[in-house]
């Protein structure tokens, strides 16, 4: 799960995940009134087509109203 905190006046937010080559493998709009993605349970690490992401390192980026608010590294390991 991804946890985030947005300003009250935020109108749009999204989460993007990139592989080590810099290619976007996953992107989703976030509920600006929430503080968690997914809203319940755990995220199934899949790409935009629903295929499982390979084990390995990835970079995630949180964008709100067109500005990068945060980023970090994560590793998928099954």
């Amino acid at each position: 799960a991804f946890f985030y905190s947005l300003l009250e006046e935020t109108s749009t937010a999204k989460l993007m995940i990139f592989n080590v080559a810099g290619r976007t493998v996953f992107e989703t709009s976030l509920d600006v009134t929430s503080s968690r993605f997914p809203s319940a349970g755990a995220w199934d690490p899949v790409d935009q087509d629903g295929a499982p992401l390979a084990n390995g390192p990835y970079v995630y980026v949180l964008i709100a109203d067109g500005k990068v608010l945060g980023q970090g590294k994560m590793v998928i390991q099954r």
Side-chain angles (χ1 to χ4, degrees), residues 31-53:
D31 178 354
V32 297
T33 64
S34 182
S35 61
R36 184 181 195 274
F37 172 81
S39 58
W43 175 61
D44 185 21
V46 296
D47 67 13
Q48 291 300 108
D49 300 320
L53 291 176

Side-chain angles (χ1 to χ4, degrees), residues 3-64:
F3 296 90
Y4 55 92
S5 179
L6 301 171
L7 297 174
E8 278 188 36
E9 60 268 11
T10 302
S11 61
T12 63
K14 65 182 173 178
L15 173 68
M16 298 180 73
I17 299 177
F18 300 89
N19 63 16
V20 292
R23 188 178 129 242
T24 304
V25 294
F26 182 80
E27 180 177 338
T28 189
S29 295
L30 298 174
D31 178 354
V32 297
T33 64
S34 182
S35 61
R36 184 181 195 274
F37 172 81
S39 58
W43 175 61
D44 185 21
V46 296
D47 67 13
Q48 291 300 108
D49 300 320
L53 291 176
N55 287 345
Y58 293 86
V59 173
Y60 60 89
V61 179
L62 173 64
I63 300 170

